[in-house]
Amino acid sequence: MTTPAGSADTNLPQTGPSAFDEHHPPSRELLDDCVHCGFCLPTCPTYQLWGEEMDSPRGRIYLMDLAEKGEIGLEGPLRQHIDACLGCMACVTACPSGVQYDKLLESVRPQLERNVPRTPADRMFREAIFALFPYKRRLRAAALPGALYQKLAAVPAVRRLAAKLPGRLAALESLLPPVTVREAFATLPVHTSAVGERRGRVALLSGCVQDVFFHRVNEATVRVLAAEGLDVLVPRDQQCCGALELHAGREDPALARAKRTIERFERLDVDHVVTNVAGCGSSMKDYAHLLADDPEWARRAKEFSARVRDVHEVLAELGPRAPRSPVPARVAYHDACHLGHAQGVRTQPREVLRSIPELEVLDIPEAALCCGSAGIYNMIMPEAADELGRRKADNVRSVEPAVVVTANPGCLLQIGKHLKDGTGADLPLLHPVQLLDASIRNVPVPRS
């Protein structure tokens, strides 16, 4: 067994008051679960990039342990190394001791956000992100200049100006999704009836970025669910589920959004609440834990989380009924971290894809390693995210696919950005349901 260099025995008695405040500090029991075995190291993206012990899960747990014992404060190394964590949860999958790093990170990030001031520039940049992305109307308003910019981006002078943008602004510009005004302002029908004999009834979380910039994925999801015999409800007044804020440690606004989401969907007479976004699904399934000590919401959150399903889980459980047309193509499947690691949904997307005749599903080398998207990570830590994005793009190219699929909009943008830097720039990047939708409708595979 190895321990971080220069570390003391983590079972030593408390040496001072904890640096954490009393609101949900990291659990001593969870901290003690880590035996520093090192199985997490090969799967940790930041450890793979830098080989720095404190940028590994066990190193970060060691820092949490020191802070809990009062040996270090929340500022300095703890905040630095927690900020560098993508929150991909590959370590949770890899750990043989069942260490709940996800719960530890979930408790520490809000502590840092509450108690450690950020620089004015950092604070303003983060506030700008959260003033835009959780709000569908604001995203739609932003789509108008976004669409204009993308037309102007072909002008050499505009490209030269874009190339001079500093780090974080350059990351925002490079990750701008393909924008069409028609798609940004389109809406889904509130009710779509099952095709043929009804097999169930579900509600769909349409999402924020997903519904504005990837509305075509939502349209395909509704068509596929209906084709497989499900009535689909899409509440028009639903709002952000809070996933982005939750993963960034903004606990209060995230929990407020969680409560609104529960309140909106719990009164619907449906078998499941379905999501087609990995990050949203992982947060919604975690509402029961997040609100467990809230006497008004604990039961409601538990009942809600029990009904949440990723779209692939629903489709795999139902089994294929709608006829599929052949799609003779090599398809690389990328496991979105919050689907594969956080939700444990790995086999179902592959089952769904393999229900399409003549489709060859390819696994990507280093499949467990994050692409660098990780919520807002590729905007606030662009250098590290770019290294991971290039590595993921190289792994995608290595299997020579005709199409790339993944179940998260951030992953689609991140991988697409880095495929543009070399061969593979013309590869279609799709959500798996888009391929299934094309097969069921017997239409050409879409380009995006």
Side-chain angles (χ1 to χ4, degrees), residues 54-129:
M54 294 307 166
D55 280 315
S56 72
R58 70 178 184 182
R60 292 183 176 111
I61 291 174
Y62 177 67
L63 291 172
M64 295 177 197
D65 182 81
L66 292 179
E68 199 276 334
K69 290 177 176 176
E71 296 183 22
I72 63 171
L74 301 187
E75 69 291 338
L78 179 65
R79 214 272 292 276
Q80 172 193 341
H81 295 293
I82 294 297
D83 274 0
C85 177
L86 290 96
C88 69
M89 304 309 159
C91 55
V92 177
T93 300
C95 181
S97 302
V99 175
Q100 298 180 61
Y101 181 82
D102 52 340
K103 298 296 185 287
L104 290 169
L105 186 66
E106 190 179 89
S107 65
V108 170
R109 277 200 159 139
Q111 292 273 344
L112 298 177
E113 291 303 306
R114 284 194 299 272
N115 298 312
V116 184
R118 294 191 177 277
T119 65
D122 190 19
R123 185 174 64 252
M124 288 177 62
F125 187 80
R126 290 168 184 263
E127 290 295 336
I129 288 174

Side-chain angles (χ1 to χ4, degrees), residues 219-361:
E219 290 177 328
T221 300
V222 171
R223 286 193 296 263
V224 165
L225 290 171
E228 292 292 13
L230 298 174
D231 287 340
V232 185
L233 304 182
V234 186
R236 190 63 54 81
D237 56 346
Q238 60 179 291
Q239 298 180 36
C240 175
C241 69
L244 271 184
E245 289 171 317
L246 177 64
H247 298 151
R250 295 167 63 94
E251 185 177 43
D252 288 344
L255 293 184
R257 295 187 191 282
K259 291 173 183 177
R260 284 197 292 269
T261 301
I262 293 168
E263 194 169 42
R264 182 62 192 91
F265 283 91
E266 68 181 353
R267 59 180 181 262
L268 299 178
D269 180 20
V270 294
D271 303 309
H272 301 300
V273 177
V274 176
T275 176
N276 55 16
V277 178
C280 298
S282 68
S283 294
M284 292 161 66
K285 289 180 177 181
D286 204 32
Y287 285 175
H289 168 73
L290 295 170
L291 294 166
D293 61 354
D294 188 318
E296 181 184 352
W297 289 92
R299 179 188 56 80
R300 296 166 71 179
K302 183 177 181 180
E303 291 175 355
F304 174 84
S305 290
R307 290 202 295 167
V308 176
R309 296 288 187 280
D310 181 76
V311 63
H312 303 97
E313 292 181 284
V314 172
L315 293 171
E317 183 179 338
L318 282 175
R321 188 180 74 179
R324 273 85 161 139
S325 301
V327 178
R330 291 168 55 85
V331 176
Y333 176 72
H334 164 67
D335 286 281
C337 293
H338 276 93
L339 189 61
H341 297 309
Q343 297 185 55
V345 177
R346 298 183 187 85
T347 60
Q348 296 93 327
R350 291 169 170 83
E351 286 179 32
V352 168
L353 288 168
R354 288 181 176 125
S355 73
I356 301 172
E358 299 183 27
L359 192 74
E360 183 181 358
V361 181

Side-chain angles (χ1 to χ4, degrees), residues 378-439:
N378 54 1
M379 293 180 278
I380 61 172
M381 301 284 285
E383 293 85 3
D386 281 349
E387 287 190 62
L388 291 169
R390 287 191 290 271
R391 187 164 174 167
K392 182 64 67 173
D394 288 343
N395 282 324
V396 168
R397 294 186 192 102
S398 74
V399 299
E400 300 181 350
V403 182
V404 182
V405 294
T406 188
N408 200 59
C411 300
L412 288 169
L413 294 176
Q414 175 78 349
I415 295 171
K417 168 186 175 178
H418 292 285
L419 284 175
K420 290 176 185 175
D421 295 337
T423 58
D426 59 343
L427 283 175
L429 284 99
L430 305 172
H431 192 288
V433 297
Q434 291 178 278
L435 268 183
L436 183 56
D437 177 54
S439 173

